[in-house]
Amino acid sequence: MPQYNPNEIEQKWQRFWEKNETFKATENPEKPPYYVLDMFPYPSGAGLHVGHPLGYIASDIVARFKRNKQFEVLHPMGYDAFGLPAEQFAIDTGNHPEGFTDKNIARYEDQMKKIGLSFDWSRKVKTSDPKFYKWTQWIFIQLFESWYNPKTNCAEHINDLIRDFEKNGNTYFTAEQWNNFSEAEQQKILMDYRLAYIGESEVNWCEALGTVLANEEVKDGVSERGGYPVEKRKMRQWFLRITAYADRLLQDLNDIDWPQAVKDMQTNWIGKSVGAEVDFRLTPGPSPMERGEMQGTFVAENTEDGRSTSDSGSPLPGRGAGGEANDPGYMTSDKTIWGTLKTNARTNRKEQTEAEQILWEALRNSKMGFKFRRQHAIDKYIADFVCLEKKLIVEVDGEIHNSQKEQDEFRTSILNQIGFDVIRFTNEEVINDLENVLIQIKERLNLANGLTPGHSPMEGGGMQGRFGAENTEDVQSTSDSGSPLSGRGAGGEAKIRIFTTRPDTIFGASFMVLAPEHELVSVITSQDQKSEVEKYVAQAKLKSERERKAETKVSGVFSGAYAINPFTRKEIPIWIADYVLGDYGTGAIMAVPGHDSRDWAFAKHFNLPIIEVVEGGNVEEASYDAKEGYLVNSDFLNGLLVDQAIKRAINEIELDGLGKMKTNYRLRDANFSRQRYWGEPFPIVYKNGLPYPVPFDALPVELPEVESYKPTGSGESPLASVDRWVNTPDGRRETNTMPGWAGSSWYYLRYMDPDNDFDFVDKDKERYWKNVDFYIGGAEHATGHLLYSRFWNKFLFDRGLVSTKEPFKKLINQGMIQGVSQKISLDKRINDQGIENYYFISSELLKDDTREIHVDVSLVDNSILDIDAFIKWRTDYKDFIFKCEGGFWQNGNFTKTGEGSDQFRTKSEVEKMSKSKYNVINPDEVIEKYGCDAFRMYEMFLGPIEQSKPWDTKGIDGVSRFLKRFWGLFYDRDGNWLVNEDKPNAEELKTLHKTIKKIEDDIERFNLNTCVSSLMIAVNDLGGYQCHKKEILEPLVILISPFAPHIAEELWEKLGNSLSVAYAPYPAYIESYTAENSFEYPVSVNGKLRAKIELPLSLSKEQVEDEIKNMDLSKWTDGNPLKKIIVVPGKIVNVVV
RNA sequence: GCGGAUGUGGUGGAAUUGGUAGACACGCCAGACUUAGGAUCUGGUGCCGAGAGGUGUGCGGGUUCGAGUCCCUCCUUCCGCACCA
């Protein structure tokens, strides 16, 4: 084969590799393992464009290099096959998404194989394959059957927790109580601990489409398809308790070699802030109660989504101090407002409704077997009827309650927390069917039987309340904060709990701010401010999240209430403002305008006092936010540095019982449910409404065939309509499916052992490969996939299922390849007859105000437009004039009008590669023309992998020529074999060994662009020496093989080797060959390069100095004496005059 | 606003610990071979200047014998987060 014919040899070797399974990895104990992985591709219908292979080529080079370095290399590829485009295709066409997906996969694979990537295709996985998702389901069951033990900081089997409950109980219940709980009660409690749990969260519901939409399907508040309105709707969802791992996910970032940008993004996403929670007491000011208002009006306002920062939000109830929960039963009312409550209660008793009167007659005098009281104050509320012994509250609601369900729910949840069961009836129920009402009350009383009254919030129906309150998307999971109404009982005073990261500045807290959705807003608001506050809160609710984000101006309203700064003892006003977020911290802050810019802006706007407590700025001019400087105006903190003051303040706060040190996270638990067909079914069956995992031998739970992929209209997934699948002898199946990231969270483990039917990965194999050594992919996965996989991996590690803490040791984000668009300009001229004439104008004649249109890049060569091809493509322009410097073209004829070129030039611009810009480069075509070795090398040659850079097809000529020159070292133009057995000379050896060193160093650092350069230099040098020596060329073939594997295999074979070059040992670098014995020193005078002098490298500094002194430098020294000579051996000489 | 990245010839980029700025390649210019050139080969190519020389890594300042590289201020472009207490 005389001429270099890339297409021929590339096909030959690709077939060879496939047939011989050249890249099949084994768990070879003789070799060190190296795992190279590309991020899991989702096979989209569009196939690959030149941007996609960048990462694949880079990782392939690393994989091939490591094989030459005698590592056992695992380099697999597979597909993240579940996803929205396939779902949408199925909905649109009625065809099964699997066929669509498989077709796309085939296309992807075909393209990847043409690039000569050295994947071990025998390990291919596909997430939608039941053999794969069997184990995704299995891992889900492991999560379901695990809880996070905060004491060991480790996930443990839920059975360990159950055993502990059976033996020791927990803060809320005794062992005996636990053992007497019904199965349902136990399961509900355990749900608060499981790492996979059911909660409730808001989804994007589109009524018109009858379906739930993903965030990316919603644009500007309407559905992307059709533009229908989208509203938030609460749905029961599965969640994964990633928040339990928040701190470890953060800490272990230190141990992995990832781009700082990705680490920063994860750090930011987890959002840890350490500070203190501090209770601020309210001053005993006027409250709604004292104004004799009805109970309904002073029910604390519920947050919009039912979320509270209360203890009920904690998934780990056992963790907290739990103090508030153990209040003695006799203290049923809030002391601060007892006076008011008493008055109200008396009034209410006099003004009983008909229904209340009827019920009272049935309950009074222990007619039900237990003593009931009516209009009795409990906490901040007045209960219609209460049985204190059984802690059962009975409420009778009139019409008004229909409109305040949310408030009632909140009230119920608060009462549940302090241990009361609440049962509610309407007036009608009591009047029309008293008997049924009494039966229900009786049942509730019996349910509470056997429990010691008055101790646990978990007992009886209380659990339901707990559970209900917990099921919000934004569970403040890692929070173990107490109720916002804490302090009941213990202190007997109303408090507002704030979170601050700057407890040192507490003496500078001159006001407080509550989020508009804070539950105490309506409780504390004074009569005078009531209407204004209500108006503000209503406005804040109306504002969409978008508007609230866009809003920059300061807004807020005074509540009329005051609190006492626990350190200054001064009264400070409480404001309501939406710059404080309801779902972060406690939804309330102490405002320190001197040292927080937002507080400062607020204080300035509303003319509130600004107190300096840290020296270093001018708080009249701006807040001083820096954590540097000494404390002033702060009593016992005066003179301390900020760091010391923070510690001292927290210490003091804890000693005084005002609060405690506290860590907050922004991270939220991960929603794991999708209302879709095309995803992994949950291995869950509901018995009596409680979820149970299916037994192991029932796995995988396969996706059933469905009649239609269309949305059900009810918000449920299409699976819900398959009765025969949904209904099992054991109960009803979960009909949600798992999200796209389920499979991708652990796929890297499956590659280690893809066909195992008995385990998700064999333990020994997992211990051999451990984790991914080198991972490459796009930066868009920084906080999604990369965080979830770390979480799953840590979980599996905790449970002893994998052996490493982190899944991906080294990570690189590849940049994008941008397109170079070509544009031509359309100009307009009005001729004598006043008719508008449009014509195109060559770019060098360009004026500013022309209209530009994109031209397909294939019609442009070197910014010269092929006009004939253009008008063939866009026939609507066929009669247009194309004006050039020397004349114009029209209908294929050129009319010369003057001097200059007849070429029509385009304007180029770097843009994203996209169809609409006609700048997409198809790798298939490039490979067809230049060969895939040239394509691979050029992609690397463009620049550093991490950077985005434009694709310039012209540039590929450079590497194409290089490969031909390289070939030319082996064959002459007539196809004669040139390689000889001559001994290489020193120069040739130097070239070879410098290259060996350079390639090795650069690949280890992932500088693949400079590798290509150094190979070019080597080939240029050897070409210059006319070197055709086997001793030089054979090692060079190995050096080039990771980059251009096909040409390397071909020449390797021609050199007489029978085995693939893929496993040839990387040549050893021998330093002595590269040693120089002399150096041409650049000599600069006062830092400016003036002369050069060739000197032996063996000379000492002093000897070099002597040589310099003997030089004639007078031209540049102006006759001034040499002050100093600086000699850097082997580098430079600088003469100072 | 906060955080990160980035800025070097006409273009992509190189310069690994502070030591000859512009490697390698594209493009361009000139030449050779050729019926031809969108093939191949040779030479040249930061800018200003005829030259000597001057000047030059986003702007301005600093440290140093010496700065693309270190420090400070500001700016450009891109990405991420966005009232996180």
Side-chain angles (χ1 to χ4, degrees):
Chain A
M1 188 195 307
Q3 299 302 328
Y4 172 48
N5 181 344
N7 289 329
E8 198 173 309
I9 60 175
E10 282 165 11
Q11 278 178 30
K12 171 183 167 185
W13 289 101
Q14 281 167 15
R15 276 198 296 267
F16 175 91
W17 294 330
E18 187 146 8
K19 198 177 124 220
N20 292 286
E21 295 195 293
T22 305
F23 305 112
K24 199 171 163 70
T26 57
E27 289 73 34
N28 179 354
E30 308 286 309
K31 287 183 171 186
Y34 196 85
Y35 188 173
V36 186
L37 187 62
D38 298 282
M39 281 188 193
F40 219 18
Y42 176 78
S44 80
L48 300 169
H49 70 58
V50 289
H52 292 115
L54 187 66
Y56 298 153
I57 295 168
S59 59
D60 194 58
I61 288 166
V62 173
R64 287 176 180 272
F65 171 75
K66 289 287 177 180
R67 284 194 200 97
N68 290 135
K69 279 292 204 176
Q70 304 306 300
F71 283 83
E72 184 66 34
V73 172
L74 177 56
H75 187 40
M77 178 49 73
Y79 306 96
D80 191 10
F82 283 127
L84 276 183
E87 177 102 12
Q88 198 55 52
F89 167 84
I91 292 170
D92 291 346
T93 66
N95 292 318
H96 199 285
E98 186 164 23
F100 173 81
T101 307
D102 287 348
K103 208 178 109 224
N104 289 347
I105 286 176
R107 169 111 196 266
Y108 253 65
E109 204 157 302
D110 186 53
Q111 286 186 302
M112 282 195 282
K113 282 184 175 165
K114 278 192 193 150
I115 301 170
L117 303 170
S118 65
F119 292 126
D120 176 356
W121 286 107
S122 74
R123 292 178 185 252
K124 179 167 76 176
V125 300
K126 182 172 83 168
T127 52
S128 61
D129 183 346
K131 283 185 177 160
F132 182 93
Y133 70 64
K134 170 182 180 177
W135 298 105
T136 309
Q137 293 173 338
W138 181 81
I139 293 172
F140 173 80
I141 293 174
Q142 305 315 303
L143 283 159
F144 180 76
E145 291 183 339
S146 298
W147 69 295
Y148 200 83
N149 185 342
K151 287 193 189 111
T152 56
N153 219 353
C154 184
E156 294 172 7
H157 200 281
I158 196 86
N159 287 345
D160 297 342
L161 180 68
I162 294 170
R163 269 193 289 278
D164 189 52
F165 283 168
E166 284 166 352
K167 238 166 81 189
N168 307 314
N170 80 354
T171 324
Y172 301 103
F173 48 79
T174 62
E176 198 193 350
Q177 285 173 332
W178 170 263
N179 292 323
N180 286 318
F181 283 155
S182 70
E183 167 78 6
E185 286 163 336
Q186 290 184 344
Q187 287 303 324
K188 279 176 181 167
I189 291 167
L190 291 175
M191 194 56 90
D192 281 350
Y193 292 86
R194 296 183 187 278
L195 289 183
Y197 65 94
I198 294 178
E200 202 171 71
S201 125
E202 284 179 343
V203 294
N204 302 305
W205 168 252
C206 181
E207 185 70 44
L209 296 173
T211 187
V212 174
L213 299 175
N215 282 331
E216 63 202 66
E217 292 175 302
V218 183
K219 291 266 151 68
D220 301 325
V222 296
S223 65
E224 199 182 18
R225 286 166 169 263
Y228 302 110
V230 174
E231 61 180 42
K232 296 276 176 191
R233 190 195 228 194
K234 271 190 197 166
M235 282 188 91
R236 197 187 48 84
Q237 311 263 313
W238 283 95
F239 286 87
L240 298 188
R241 208 180 298 282
I242 187 172
T243 50
Y245 283 88
D247 210 44
R248 282 165 66 191
L249 288 169
L250 192 63
Q251 281 309 312
D252 291 349
L253 283 173
N254 294 326
D255 305 334
I256 46 183
D257 184 6
W258 285 18
Q260 196 54 44
V262 178
K263 289 190 184 184
D264 288 348
M265 269 190 246
Q266 293 211 345
T267 303
N268 203 300
W269 195 260
I270 294 165
K272 179 179 183 171
S273 50
V274 180
E277 276 188 353
V278 190
D279 290 333
F280 279 54
R281 259 184 332 189
L282 290 167
T283 55
S287 84
M289 317 269 187
E290 290 166 42
R291 301 186 297 272
E293 289 171 31
M294 295 300 290
Q295 58 199 39
T297 60
F298 57 77
V299 167
E301 178 140 358
N302 195 3
T303 57
E304 200 174 326
D305 53 5
R307 178 192 310 136
S308 82
T309 46
S310 73
D311 214 3
S312 64
S314 169
L316 305 171
R319 241 195 195 181
E324 315 67 80
N326 285 339
D327 295 346
Y330 61 85
M331 275 192 170
T332 56
S333 88
D334 190 319
K335 267 190 183 172
T336 42
I337 51 173
W338 167 235
T340 331
L341 289 176
K342 206 162 65 181
T343 319
N344 276 331
R346 283 200 190 115
T347 319
N348 288 353
R349 272 175 217 160
K350 280 180 206 149
E351 296 170 7
Q352 288 223 2
T353 63
E354 190 197 350
E356 285 170 342
Q357 195 60 49
I358 291 170
L359 191 55
W360 177 236
E361 287 304 322
L363 295 175
R364 62 187 299 188
N365 299 330
S366 301
K367 281 182 188 157
M368 302 290 288
F370 297 94
K371 184 178 171 69
F372 270 86
R373 297 158 194 268
R374 62 172 171 160
Q375 298 299 333
H376 189 83
I378 309 284
D379 193 72
K380 284 192 159 49
Y381 312 112
I382 298 173
D384 288 337
F385 305 97
V386 59
C387 171
L388 287 178
E389 191 184 346
K390 288 289 177 185
K391 302 204 83 174
L392 178 70
I393 291 168
V394 180
E395 299 275 35
V396 179
D397 301 334
E399 287 294 319
I400 185 171
H401 284 273
N402 290 332
S403 59
Q404 55 180 56
K405 274 213 169 84
E406 277 189 325
Q407 285 150 340
D408 285 339
E409 268 168 39
F410 178 75
R411 172 174 167 163
T412 302
S413 108
I414 291 288
L415 291 168
N416 286 161
Q417 277 171 53
I418 56 170
F420 285 87
D421 193 2
V422 179
I423 184 164
R424 242 170 233 291
F425 300 98
T426 62
N427 284 338
E428 290 76 17
E429 282 177 85
V430 174
I431 295 166
N432 301 332
D433 196 357
L434 180 66
E435 203 178 317
N436 182 36
V437 167
L438 293 176
I439 289 169
Q440 285 188 48
I441 294 172
K442 189 92 183 167
E443 271 174 13
R444 289 293 184 110
L445 289 167
N446 289 339
L447 192 69
N449 254 346
L451 299 180
T452 318
H455 287 280
S456 162
M458 308 275 270
E459 64 182 63
M463 260 317 287
Q464 275 168 359
R466 272 190 53 75
F467 190 55
E470 194 250 357
N471 297 341
T472 64
E473 181 186 10
D474 299 324
V475 177
Q476 191 76 34
S477 337
T478 46
S479 136
D480 53 2
S481 65
S483 155
L485 303 171
S486 65
R488 283 181 307 273
E493 287 161 322
K495 293 167 176 176
I496 296 177
R497 179 162 291 181
I498 59 100
F499 174 69
T500 178
T501 54
R502 292 292 301 276
D504 56 311
T505 61
I506 194 161
F507 284 93
S510 51
F511 58 101
M512 290 180 79
V513 184
L514 265 55
E517 57 266 53
H518 196 284
E519 53 264 25
L520 287 182
V521 167
S522 61
V523 177
I524 62 164
T525 301
S526 73
Q527 186 62 41
D528 322 343
Q529 294 299 111
K530 194 179 168 213
S531 66
E532 273 207 60
V533 168
E534 280 175 356
K535 212 169 87 195
Y536 185 77
V537 170
Q539 273 171 4
K541 265 189 186 171
L542 277 178
K543 275 191 219 169
S544 71
E545 203 177 328
R546 247 169 154 260
E547 287 167 333
R548 229 171 119 164
K549 275 179 195 167
E551 190 82 58
T552 47
K553 69 174 205 282
V554 177
S555 76
V557 61
F558 177 48
S559 71
Y562 292 84
I564 294 171
N565 182 321
F567 282 82
T568 63
R569 304 261 163 212
K570 282 188 184 140
E571 280 197 356
I572 56 173
I574 303 172
W575 286 67
I576 321 294
D578 64 8
Y579 82 90
V580 173
L581 305 177
D583 66 348
Y584 185 77
T586 62
I589 61 160
M590 64 172 198
V592 184
H595 306 282
D596 179 286
S597 47
R598 288 152 315 176
D599 296 345
W600 189 88
F602 194 83
K604 275 282 170 193
H605 189 263
F606 291 106
N607 208 16
L608 294 160
I610 298 170
I611 305 160
E612 179 180 54
V613 287
V614 181
E615 275 182 338
N618 179 356
V619 298
E620 284 307 310
E621 296 293 316
S623 66
Y624 177 68
D625 296 9
K627 287 185 167 186
E628 287 159 18
Y630 292 97
L631 275 282
V632 293
N633 300 325
S634 295
D635 193 10
F636 61 92
L637 296 176
N638 282 339
L640 295 176
L641 281 165
V642 169
D643 285 353
Q644 305 165 322
I646 289 175
K647 286 185 195 126
R648 181 72 204 278
I650 291 177
N651 198 23
E652 205 69 24
I653 287 163
E654 288 184 345
L655 279 176
D656 292 354
L658 295 167
K660 58 176 185 287
M661 190 160 156
K662 174 77 181 143
T663 303
N664 260 316
Y665 297 94
R666 197 174 58 175
L667 185 72
R668 300 284 178 252
D669 279 342
N671 185 330
F672 201 62
S673 296
R674 299 292 181 268
Q675 293 70 43
R676 303 281 177 177
Y677 172 75
W678 194 228
E680 296 90 343
F682 280 85
I684 290 287
V685 168
Y686 292 89
K687 302 175 196 172
N688 303 321
L690 296 170
Y692 290 91
V694 302
F696 179 74
D697 55 20
L699 293 178
V701 175
E702 292 199 35
L703 264 178
E705 295 299 320
V706 289
E707 296 263 311
S708 162
Y709 304 99
K710 294 213 163 77
T712 54
S714 66
E716 285 182 293
S717 98
L719 293 180
S721 58
V722 192
D723 290 340
R724 116 196 88 76
W725 182 83
V726 169
N727 299 309
T728 77
D730 293 327
R732 194 178 155 80
R733 284 191 198 278
E734 169 66 62
T735 57
N736 282 326
T737 51
M738 298 186 196
W741 51 273
S744 62
S745 294
W746 74 282
Y747 76 108
Y748 58 93
L749 293 166
R750 189 63 179 171
Y751 283 134
M752 298 173 183
D753 191 13
D755 299 316
N756 195 332
D757 277 335
F758 306 100
D759 207 347
F760 76 114
V761 56
D762 177 79
K763 281 205 160 43
D764 290 335
K765 290 183 179 174
E766 190 277 327
R767 274 191 212 111
Y768 179 78
W769 296 111
K770 292 191 182 69
N771 49 10
V772 175
D773 292 284
F774 178 55
Y775 197 32
I776 184 162
E780 66 273 18
H781 297 110
T783 47
H785 161 63
L786 288 172
L787 198 62
Y788 295 135
S789 340
R790 292 183 64 218
F791 159 44
W792 281 41
N793 194 85
K794 284 184 187 306
F795 162 70
L796 294 169
F797 174 78
D798 281 358
R799 292 290 314 277
L801 298 166
V802 302
S803 58
T804 59
K805 286 200 290 185
E806 287 287 338
F808 315 118
K809 266 192 274 195
K810 163 88 187 169
L811 173 74
I812 280 188
N813 291 129
Q814 90 252 26
M816 304 229 290
I817 294 211
Q818 295 147 312
V820 179
S821 307
Q822 298 292 343
K823 295 173 173 179
I824 57 176
S825 298
L826 196 57
D827 203 0
K828 182 173 75 176
R829 186 179 51 187
I830 298 165
N831 68 7
D832 304 342
Q833 285 84 44
I835 299 166
E836 286 184 354
N837 255 331
Y838 286 93
Y839 61 96
F840 289 108
I841 180 164
S842 185
S843 70
E844 75 271 18
L845 308 170
L846 218 56
K847 291 181 255 166
D848 289 338
D849 55 347
T850 52
R851 211 176 84 209
E852 289 175 342
I853 64 167
H854 276 96
V855 175
D856 194 305
V857 289
S858 65
L859 308 178
V860 179
D861 185 34
N862 217 351
S863 54
I864 295 161
L865 180 71
D866 181 339
I867 296 172
D868 290 342
F870 174 72
I871 54 183
K872 213 178 260 176
W873 177 55
R874 295 290 298 268
T875 47
D876 43 330
Y877 292 122
K878 70 178 167 26
D879 297 325
F880 275 57
I881 285 174
F882 293 79
K883 197 170 186 308
C884 310
E885 198 186 356
F888 63 89
W889 290 89
Q890 190 173 25
N891 298 320
N893 301 312
F894 184 69
T895 309
K896 198 168 165 69
T897 58
E899 288 305 300
S901 165
D902 62 351
Q903 289 173 335
F904 188 89
R905 307 190 83 86
T906 58
K907 208 173 115 183
S908 62
E909 194 178 326
V910 173
E911 290 177 305
K912 215 181 141 183
M913 215 174 256
S914 93
K915 270 187 191 158
S916 65
K917 299 188 170 77
Y918 303 108
N919 61 359
V920 174
I921 306 289
N922 181 336
D924 299 350
E925 287 168 21
V926 177
I927 289 170
E928 176 74 29
K929 190 166 172 199
Y930 295 94
C932 105
D933 281 337
F935 175 71
R936 289 168 60 105
M937 286 201 107
Y938 185 54
E939 288 242 341
M940 294 303 102
F941 183 68
L942 277 174
I945 321 167
E946 300 97 320
Q947 259 172 47
S948 291
K949 55 248 156 182
W951 173 276
D952 172 17
T953 299
K954 261 294 181 217
I956 200 172
D957 284 337
V959 285
S960 180
R961 278 178 207 142
F962 157 75
L963 287 172
K964 284 178 195 160
R965 278 201 303 273
F966 178 62
W967 184 266
L969 294 175
F970 297 77
Y971 284 100
D972 70 14
R973 288 185 193 207
D974 302 322
N976 300 309
W977 183 246
L978 296 173
V979 180
N980 58 49
E981 303 285 336
D982 294 354
K983 282 283 156 202
N985 62 29
E987 272 182 323
E988 292 159 349
L989 283 169
K990 192 197 278 179
T991 296
L992 174 66
H993 283 267
K994 270 163 98 173
T995 312
I996 292 171
K997 178 98 172 83
K998 174 84 176 153
I999 299 276
E1000 187 167 357
D1001 288 355
D1002 281 358
I1003 293 184
E1004 297 286 359
R1005 277 198 309 268
F1006 307 102
N1007 291 341
L1008 304 181
N1009 52 330
T1010 49
C1011 285
V1012 180
S1013 299
S1014 62
L1015 286 167
M1016 286 175 171
I1017 293 167
V1019 169
N1020 289 350
D1021 285 356
L1022 294 173
Y1025 306 148
Q1026 301 277 314
C1027 171
H1028 306 291
K1029 296 167 183 168
K1030 189 175 180 185
E1031 271 186 53
I1032 298 295
L1033 297 183
E1034 196 162 51
L1036 195 64
V1037 168
I1038 301 171
L1039 296 190
I1040 209 172
S1041 70
F1043 299 87
H1046 309 84
I1047 194 175
E1049 289 277 25
E1050 182 67 22
L1051 294 171
W1052 184 250
E1053 187 187 56
K1054 291 287 187 288
L1055 283 164
N1057 297 289
S1058 53
L1059 294 171
S1060 166
V1061 71
Y1063 293 96
Y1066 191 84
Y1069 167 61
I1070 297 164
E1071 198 178 356
S1072 58
Y1073 289 139
T1074 60
E1076 310 264 355
N1077 35 33
S1078 73
F1079 180 72
E1080 191 183 38
Y1081 278 92
V1083 180
S1084 30
V1085 178
N1086 284 345
K1088 292 212 164 94
L1089 180 69
R1090 296 301 184 187
K1092 291 194 174 176
I1093 180 170
E1094 177 101 14
L1095 293 171
L1097 274 166
S1098 55
L1099 294 189
S1100 70
K1101 271 191 184 187
E1102 289 71 24
Q1103 288 170 311
V1104 174
E1105 233 179 286
D1106 290 342
E1107 292 288 338
I1108 299 298
K1109 279 176 190 157
N1110 293 334
M1111 280 177 79
D1112 178 20
L1113 296 171
S1114 55
K1115 193 174 168 189
W1116 301 288
T1117 56
D1118 287 338
N1120 293 318
L1122 306 187
K1123 223 189 251 171
K1124 197 173 166 190
I1125 298 173
I1126 290 135
V1127 177
V1128 184
K1131 292 272 187 192
I1132 201 170
V1133 175
N1134 194 12
V1135 179
V1136 187
V1137 183

